[in-house]
């Protein structure tokens, strides 16, 4: 049987955003093709693997088999080493992304989507008949509706009229590794803040279990030099884990830290996930937003097919729902990030940590209110985000 | 044109997002640089593991 060439919906990129978009479109009975250049998504895993229950539960129930550890404490460590411990943090987990990502893809396939792996889309274009073509070598796949979920590169969107080029101050350049060390507690995330460890970002430790963690950091692109993230990571690991017993899985990545891309819809194309900068700019978390945006896009595609006829104007519901939901908070995270980067230095973080170190049962809200004290607009935004 | 050291490159795609003229692309064979490169240096600066270097010297040697 020759491969099918035309689909109602083609989704490029099978990360959480694309796979969930494919799943929801297929659940409603559309013909859906999900493409990824990799053998399986998230190979290698470029992620701390941390998620909050609140954000995730809008789109999926967290399965026990995804969970590597349950987080009870967050340790914030100031540049000079003062520890502030947060206990009031909401339910959060470290999940195994290779299992999680392949489960979301599986659920898309079960819903009826066709998954083509090892398939790189070289270019995308709108045809004269109004349909879209994805070029894969000398082959092409066409669709009425196209979903771009191609991650941080977000290159295909440029073929279709978006300017997705990011400025250095809107990109965290990251390095990551897996470290084994007896001092790692399975129930505690660590954030090491300040320019000392990661200029314009922070270093983090996300435990995959007792004695083993994802360790990484992000440097703001405008503060970076060639190879900077990797060198800072080596320095951080030597500082925090002098007695480590193992260091594996070193790789790197980028996290867009910018307001979400507007518009999210052009003609019959929707853009979702990292490609659309749907990332929490304060903590770099993008899994929950990606899943949710994918779901909204998949549902919008469904609405746009009425009796088998595609009406692209109906896709605008995707942007409306995103803007009213997670989209509002995403913009706030970006405002807070910008303020922190331009107005706060290592000495400031040390002072805040000193003033908070004895407090019990702290939560993010109290810490950020203290951080933005004297700046009513930022405090108000903090209340909206964490209140 | 910038030069990508394929033995170092981790195929993370970060540099692609930085390039104004869309001179960089990632596919299964890794990063490719096209003639559109204007040597602005954005990708060199951003690469987390230092896999890209300026090609000005090499190209004009
Ligand atoms: C170092 C690091 C740590 C992170 N830690 C966390 C964390 O702890 N918690 C959290 O919530 N988030 C974290 N994130 C962010 C999170 O990983 C992303 O937000 C999330 O993966 C976005 O999902 P996505 O589906 O949009 O894109 P991706 O997961 O990046 O998927 C995009 C897919 O598109 C494919 N693709 C791209 N171009 C093409 C093409 N032309 N043809 C075919 N396929 C293509 C790629 O192969 C890829 O599989 C982290 C990111 C980094 C870099
Ligand atoms: S940023 Fe560096 S490691 Fe990542 S794809 Fe580009 S050249 Fe490769
Ligand atoms: S130097 Fe500038 S123009 Fe050339 S590939 Fe890098 S980002 Fe693109």
């Amino acid at each position: 049987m020759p491969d099918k060439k035309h689909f109602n919906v083609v989704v490029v990129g099978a990360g959480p955003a694309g796979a969930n978009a494919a799943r929801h479109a297929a659940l409603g009975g559309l013909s859906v093709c999900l493409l990824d250049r990799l053998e399986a998504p998230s190979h290698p895993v470029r992620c701390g693997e941390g998620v909050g229950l609140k954000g995730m539960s809008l789109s999926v129930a967290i399965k026990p088999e995804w969970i590597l550890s349950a987080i009870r404490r967050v340790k914030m460590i100031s540049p000079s080493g003062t520890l502030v411990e947060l206990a009031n943090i909401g339910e959060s987990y470290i999940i195994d992304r290779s299992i999680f990502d392949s489960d979301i893809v599986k659920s898309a396939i079960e819903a009826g989507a066709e998954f083509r792996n090892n398939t790189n889309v070289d270019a995308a274009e709108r045809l004269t008949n109004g349909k879209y073509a994805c070029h894969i070598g000398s082959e092409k796949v066409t669709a009425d509706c196209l979903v771009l979920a191609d991650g941080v590169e977000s290159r295909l969107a440029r073929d279709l009229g978006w300017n997705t080029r990011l400025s250095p101050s809107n990109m965290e350049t990251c390095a990551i590794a897996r470290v084994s060390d007896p001092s790692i507690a399975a129930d505690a995330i660590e954030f090491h803040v300040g320019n000392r460890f990661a200029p314009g970002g922070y270093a983090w430790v996300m435990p995959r279990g007792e004695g083993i963690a994802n360790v990484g950091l992000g440097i703001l692109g405008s503060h970076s030099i060639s190879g900077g993230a990797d060198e800072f990571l080596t320095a951080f690991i030597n500082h925090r884990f002098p007695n480590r017993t193992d260091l594996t899985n070193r790789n790197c990545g980028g996290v867009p830290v910018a307001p979400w891309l507007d518009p999210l819809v052009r003609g019959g194309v929707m853009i979702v996930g990292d490609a659309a900068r749907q990332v929490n700019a304060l903590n770099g978390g993008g899994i929950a937003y990606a899943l949710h945006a994918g779901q909204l896009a998949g549902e919008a595609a469904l609405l746009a097919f009425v009796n088998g006829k595609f009406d692209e104007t109906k896709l605008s519901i995707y942007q409306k729902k995103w803007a009213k939901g997670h989209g509002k908070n995403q913009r706030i995270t970006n405002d807070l990030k910008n303020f922190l980067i331009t107005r706060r230095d290592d000495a400031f973080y040390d002072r805040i940590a000193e003033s908070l170190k004895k407090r019990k049962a702290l939560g993010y809200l109290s810490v950020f209110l203290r951080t933005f004290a004297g700046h009513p607009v930022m405090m108000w935004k903090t209340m909206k985000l964490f209140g | 044109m910038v030069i990508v050291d394929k033995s170092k490159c981790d195929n993370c795609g970060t540099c692609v997002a930085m390039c104004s003229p869309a001179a960089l692309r990632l596919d299964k064979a890794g990063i490719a640089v096209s003639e559109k490169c204007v040597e602005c240096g954005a990708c060199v600066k951003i690469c987390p593991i230092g896999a890209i270097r300026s090609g000005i010297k090499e190209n004009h040697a």
Side-chain angles (χ1 to χ4, degrees):
Chain A
M1 197 178 75
D3 281 351
K4 191 167 148 72
K5 301 273 192 236
H6 182 81
F7 295 83
N8 295 138
V9 182
V10 166
V11 182
V12 187
N20 210 30
R23 169 169 182 259
H24 281 274
L27 275 177
L30 300 180
S31 66
V32 179
C33 185
L34 175 63
L35 304 166
D36 202 293
R37 76 158 67 95
L38 299 173
E39 171 80 29
S42 249
H43 281 267
V45 173
R46 306 175 192 281
C47 187
E49 306 182 300
V51 293
L53 178 72
K54 199 170 144 202
M56 294 288 279
S57 58
L58 268 180
S59 323
V60 293
I62 295 181
K63 290 191 193 166
E65 57 266 36
W66 297 344
I67 297 176
L68 291 165
S69 62
I71 302 306
R72 312 258 172 257
R73 301 175 287 152
V74 169
K75 295 174 164 188
M76 293 200 165
I77 295 110
S78 81
S80 69
T82 306
L83 168 71
V84 173
E85 191 161 312
L86 282 63
N88 187 6
I89 52 165
E91 217 170 301
S92 354
Y93 299 97
I94 307 300
I95 61 168
D96 188 317
R97 269 207 70 178
S98 36
I99 301 180
F100 164 78
D101 280 40
S102 61
D103 267 7
I104 305 293
V105 171
K106 255 187 244 157
S107 70
I109 297 169
E110 277 160 20
E114 182 175 328
F115 176 48
R116 295 187 189 169
N117 60 352
N118 295 316
T119 302
N120 185 72
V121 176
D122 302 313
E125 66 170 330
R126 183 156 216 182
L127 303 170
T128 45
N129 64 4
K131 300 194 189 306
Y132 292 90
C134 287
H135 296 274
I136 302 152
S138 56
E139 309 273 304
K140 77 178 178 210
V141 177
T142 60
D144 303 288
C145 174
L146 189 59
V147 179
L148 298 178
D150 54 340
V152 65
E153 326 162 27
S154 194
R155 187 180 54 80
L156 295 171
R158 300 195 199 191
D159 295 350
L160 297 162
W162 272 279
N163 176 8
T164 51
R165 192 250 166 193
L166 276 168
S167 75
S169 57
N170 285 328
M171 178 73 89
E172 288 281 341
T173 153
C174 305
I176 176 168
R178 204 162 285 171
V179 176
S180 299
D181 186 289
S183 72
I184 294 166
D187 69 340
I189 287 178
E190 298 172 24
F191 293 120
H192 297 251
V193 297
N195 293 330
R196 174 176 172 200
F197 298 116
Y202 60 88
W204 40 263
V205 178
M206 307 256 186
R208 300 187 102 234
E210 206 62 33
I212 181 161
N214 297 318
V215 178
L217 53 77
I219 295 175
L220 199 68
S222 48
H223 296 44
S224 159
I225 54 156
S226 176
D230 201 50
E231 282 166 26
F232 269 93
L233 184 62
T234 300
F236 175 70
I237 290 174
N238 288 337
H239 159 83
R240 171 64 185 83
F241 303 108
N243 302 318
R244 64 184 175 272
T245 55
D246 206 4
L247 172 60
T248 61
N249 296 60
R250 266 194 101 129
N251 53 53
C252 63
V255 177
V257 285
W260 52 268
L261 194 65
D262 187 6
L264 293 171
V265 183
R266 266 177 200 277
V269 190
M270 293 181 279
I271 184 163
V272 291
D274 275 15
R277 303 146 190 194
Q278 288 162 320
V279 176
N280 179 319
L282 207 50
N283 67 15
I287 301 171
Y289 285 178
L291 282 176
H292 190 59
Q295 173 171 349
L296 295 178
E299 289 170 353
L302 268 184
L303 280 177
F305 283 91
V306 186
N307 302 325
K309 262 188 72 78
F310 179 58
D311 175 3
E312 64 184 36
T313 62
K314 294 218 161 71
L315 297 179
S316 60
I317 184 93
Y318 157 48
Q319 174 154 350
K320 278 193 200 117
K321 287 199 171 165
W322 165 263
K324 271 201 203 146
H326 277 321
K328 266 197 209 146
N329 279 348
Q330 195 280 339
R331 288 263 157 92
I332 294 179
T333 64
N334 189 59
D335 295 343
L336 298 183
K337 168 217 97 182
N338 285 340
F339 186 92
L340 284 178
I341 284 157
T342 50
R343 311 277 282 276
R344 297 299 186 229
D345 60 8
D346 284 6
F348 173 82
Y349 291 119
D350 281 327
R351 283 201 303 280
I352 287 279
E354 270 308 311
S355 76
L356 289 173
K357 69 179 181 192
K358 296 251 161 56
R359 293 264 303 269
K360 294 265 175 280
L362 270 175
Y364 289 111
L365 179 64
S366 331
V367 171
F368 280 102
L369 282 179
R370 184 69 65 95
T371 304
F372 294 117
H375 298 273
V377 175
M378 292 297 140
M379 290 177 76
W380 179 76
K381 291 186 179 194
T382 301
M383 291 290 295
K384 295 215 101 171
L385 195 60
F386 296 106
Chain B
M1 266 161 65
V2 291
I3 295 162
V4 180
D5 180 344
K6 294 220 170 169
S7 67
K8 268 194 179 177
C9 172
D10 189 34
N11 299 329
C12 73
T14 309
C15 55
V16 177
M18 308 310 298
C19 180
S20 284
L24 295 172
R25 53 195 300 138
L26 180 58
D27 60 26
K28 286 205 278 185
I31 289 285
V33 192
S34 82
E35 296 293 333
K36 289 190 271 182
C37 170
V38 295
E39 285 275 1
C40 71
C43 60
V44 177
K45 191 170 147 75
I46 211 82
C47 175
I49 49 172
I52 313 185
R53 65 178 193 277
S54 162
I56 293 177
K57 265 200 198 131
E58 280 90 340
N59 292 342
H60 296 270

Coordinates of all heavy atoms in Angstrom, one line a residue, chain A residues 242-278:
Chain A
P242 N 31.7 18.0 44.6 CA 33.1 17.6 44.6 C 33.3 16.1 44.8 O 34.3 15.5 44.3 CB 33.8 18.4 45.7 CG 32.7 18.8 46.6 CD 31.5 18.9 45.8
N243 N 32.3 15.4 45.5 CA 32.5 14.0 45.8 C 31.6 13.1 44.9 O 31.3 12.0 45.2 CB 32.1 13.7 47.2 CG 33.0 14.6 48.2 OD1 34.2 14.7 48.0 ND2 32.4 15.2 49.2
R244 N 31.2 13.6 43.7 CA 30.3 12.9 42.8 C 30.9 11.5 42.5 O 32.2 11.4 42.4 CB 30.0 13.7 41.6 CG 31.2 13.9 40.7 CD 30.9 14.8 39.5 NE 32.1 15.1 38.8 CZ 32.9 16.1 39.0 NH1 32.6 17.0 40.0 NH2 34.0 16.3 38.3
T245 N 30.0 10.5 42.2 CA 30.5 9.2 41.9 C 30.3 9.0 40.4 O 30.9 8.0 39.8 CB 29.8 8.1 42.7 OG1 28.4 8.3 42.5 CG2 30.1 8.2 44.2
D246 N 29.4 9.8 39.7 CA 29.2 9.6 38.3 C 28.7 10.9 37.7 O 28.1 11.7 38.3 CB 28.2 8.5 38.1 CG 28.4 7.8 36.7 OD1 29.4 8.1 36.0 OD2 27.6 6.9 36.4
L247 N 29.0 11.0 36.4 CA 28.6 12.2 35.6 C 28.4 11.7 34.2 O 29.3 11.3 33.5 CB 29.7 13.3 35.6 CG 29.6 14.5 34.8 CD1 28.3 15.3 35.1 CD2 30.8 15.4 34.9
T248 N 27.1 11.7 33.8 CA 26.8 11.1 32.4 C 25.8 12.1 31.7 O 25.4 13.1 32.2 CB 26.1 9.8 32.6 OG1 24.8 10.0 33.3 CG2 26.9 8.7 33.3
N249 N 25.4 11.7 30.5 CA 24.3 12.4 29.8 C 24.5 13.9 29.6 O 23.6 14.7 29.8 CB 22.9 12.2 30.5 CG 22.5 10.7 30.5 OD1 23.2 9.9 31.0 ND2 21.4 10.4 29.8
R250 N 25.7 14.3 29.3 CA 26.0 15.7 29.2 C 25.4 16.1 27.8 O 25.7 15.6 26.8 CB 27.4 16.0 29.2 CG 27.9 16.4 30.6 CD 29.3 17.0 30.5 NE 29.2 18.4 30.6 CZ 29.9 19.2 31.4 NH1 30.8 18.6 32.3 NH2 29.8 20.5 31.4
N251 N 24.5 17.1 27.8 CA 24.1 17.7 26.5 C 23.7 19.1 26.8 O 23.9 19.7 27.8 CB 23.1 16.8 25.7 CG 21.9 16.4 26.5 OD1 21.3 17.3 27.1 ND2 21.7 15.2 26.6
C252 N 23.0 19.7 25.7 CA 22.7 21.1 25.9 C 21.4 21.4 25.2 O 20.8 20.5 24.6 CB 23.9 21.9 25.3 SG 24.1 21.7 23.5
G253 N 21.0 22.7 25.3 CA 19.7 23.0 24.7 C 19.4 24.5 24.9 O 20.2 25.2 25.4
G254 N 18.3 24.9 24.3 CA 17.9 26.3 24.5 C 16.5 26.4 24.9 O 15.6 25.6 24.6
V255 N 16.2 27.5 25.8 CA 14.8 27.7 26.2 C 14.5 29.1 25.8 O 15.1 30.1 26.3 CB 14.7 27.5 27.8 CG1 13.3 27.9 28.2 CG2 15.1 26.1 28.2
P256 N 13.4 29.3 25.0 CA 13.0 30.6 24.7 C 12.4 31.3 25.9 O 11.5 30.7 26.5 CB 12.0 30.4 23.6 CG 11.5 29.0 23.7 CD 12.6 28.2 24.4
V257 N 12.8 32.5 26.3 CA 12.2 33.2 27.4 C 11.7 34.6 26.8 O 12.5 35.5 26.8 CB 13.1 33.4 28.6 CG1 13.2 32.0 29.3 CG2 14.5 33.8 28.2
A258 N 10.5 34.6 26.3 CA 10.0 35.7 25.6 C 8.5 35.7 25.7 O 7.9 34.6 26.1 CB 10.4 35.6 24.1
P259 N 7.8 36.8 25.4 CA 6.3 36.7 25.4 C 5.9 35.7 24.3 O 6.6 35.6 23.3 CB 5.9 38.1 25.0 CG 7.1 38.9 25.0 CD 8.3 38.1 25.0
W260 N 4.8 35.0 24.5 CA 4.3 34.1 23.5 C 4.1 34.8 22.2 O 3.7 36.0 22.1 CB 3.1 33.3 23.9 CG 1.9 34.0 24.5 CD1 1.7 34.3 25.8 CD2 0.8 34.5 23.7 NE1 0.5 35.0 25.9 CE2 -0.1 35.1 24.7 CE3 0.4 34.5 22.4 CZ2 -1.3 35.7 24.3 CZ3 -0.7 35.1 22.0 CH2 -1.6 35.7 23.0
L261 N 4.3 34.0 21.1 CA 4.2 34.6 19.8 C 2.8 35.0 19.4 O 1.9 34.2 19.5 CB 4.7 33.5 18.8 CG 5.1 33.8 17.4 CD1 6.3 34.7 17.4 CD2 5.4 32.5 16.6
D262 N 2.7 36.2 18.9 CA 1.4 36.7 18.4 C 1.5 37.1 17.0 O 2.4 37.9 16.7 CB 1.0 37.9 19.3 CG -0.4 38.3 19.1 OD1 -1.2 37.7 18.3 OD2 -0.8 39.4 19.7
P263 N 0.7 36.6 16.0 CA -0.4 35.7 16.2 C 0.1 34.2 16.3 O 1.2 33.9 15.9 CB -1.2 35.8 14.9 CG -0.1 36.2 13.9 CD 0.9 37.0 14.6
L264 N -0.8 33.4 16.9 CA -0.5 32.0 17.0 C -1.1 31.2 15.8 O -0.9 30.0 15.6 CB -1.1 31.4 18.3 CG -0.5 31.8 19.6 CD1 -1.4 31.4 20.8 CD2 0.9 31.3 19.8
V265 N -1.9 31.9 15.0 CA -2.6 31.3 13.9 C -2.4 32.2 12.7 O -2.6 33.4 12.8 CB -4.1 31.2 14.2 CG1 -4.8 30.5 13.0 CG2 -4.4 30.5 15.5
R266 N -2.1 31.6 11.6 CA -2.0 32.3 10.3 C -2.7 31.4 9.2 O -2.1 30.3 9.0 CB -0.6 32.5 9.8 CG 0.0 33.8 10.2 CD 1.5 33.8 9.8 NE 2.2 34.8 10.5 CZ 2.2 36.1 10.2 NH1 1.6 36.6 9.2 NH2 2.9 37.0 11.0
G267 N -3.7 31.9 8.6 CA -4.4 31.0 7.6 C -4.8 29.7 8.3 O -5.4 29.7 9.4
G268 N -4.4 28.6 7.7 CA -4.7 27.3 8.2 C -3.5 26.7 9.1 O -3.5 25.5 9.3
V269 N -2.6 27.6 9.6 CA -1.5 27.1 10.4 C -1.6 27.6 11.8 O -1.8 28.7 12.1 CB -0.2 27.6 9.8 CG1 1.0 26.9 10.5 CG2 -0.1 27.5 8.3
M270 N -1.3 26.6 12.7 CA -1.2 27.0 14.1 C 0.2 26.6 14.6 O 0.7 25.6 14.2 CB -2.3 26.2 15.0 CG -3.7 26.6 14.6 SD -4.9 25.7 15.6 CE -5.0 24.1 14.7
I271 N 0.7 27.4 15.6 CA 2.0 27.2 16.1 C 1.9 27.0 17.6 O 1.2 27.7 18.3 CB 3.0 28.3 15.7 CG1 4.4 28.1 16.1 CG2 2.5 29.7 16.1 CD1 5.4 28.9 15.4
V272 N 2.6 25.9 18.1 CA 2.4 25.5 19.5 C 3.7 25.2 20.2 O 4.7 24.8 19.5 CB 1.5 24.3 19.6 CG1 0.0 24.6 19.2 CG2 2.0 23.1 18.8
G273 N 3.7 25.3 21.5 CA 4.9 24.8 22.3 C 6.0 25.8 22.3 O 5.9 27.0 22.1
D274 N 7.2 25.3 22.4 CA 8.5 26.1 22.4 C 8.5 26.9 21.1 O 9.1 28.0 21.1 CB 9.7 25.2 22.4 CG 10.1 24.8 23.9 OD1 9.3 25.0 24.8 OD2 11.2 24.4 24.1
A275 N 8.1 26.4 20.0 CA 8.1 27.1 18.7 C 7.3 28.4 18.9 O 7.7 29.4 18.2 CB 7.5 26.2 17.6
A276 N 6.3 28.4 19.7 CA 5.5 29.6 19.9 C 5.9 30.3 21.2 O 5.2 31.2 21.7 CB 4.0 29.3 19.9
R277 N 7.0 29.9 21.8 CA 7.6 30.5 23.1 C 6.6 30.4 24.2 O 6.5 31.3 25.1 CB 7.9 32.0 22.9 CG 8.9 32.1 21.7 CD 8.7 33.4 21.0 NE 9.5 33.4 19.8 CZ 9.7 34.5 19.1 NH1 9.2 35.6 19.4 NH2 10.5 34.4 18.0
Q278 N 5.8 29.3 24.2 CA 4.9 29.1 25.3 C 5.6 28.4 26.5 O 5.3 27.2 26.8 CB 3.7 28.3 24.8 CG 2.8 29.1 23.9 CD 1.9 28.3 23.0 OE1 2.3 27.2 22.5 NE2 0.6 28.8 22.8

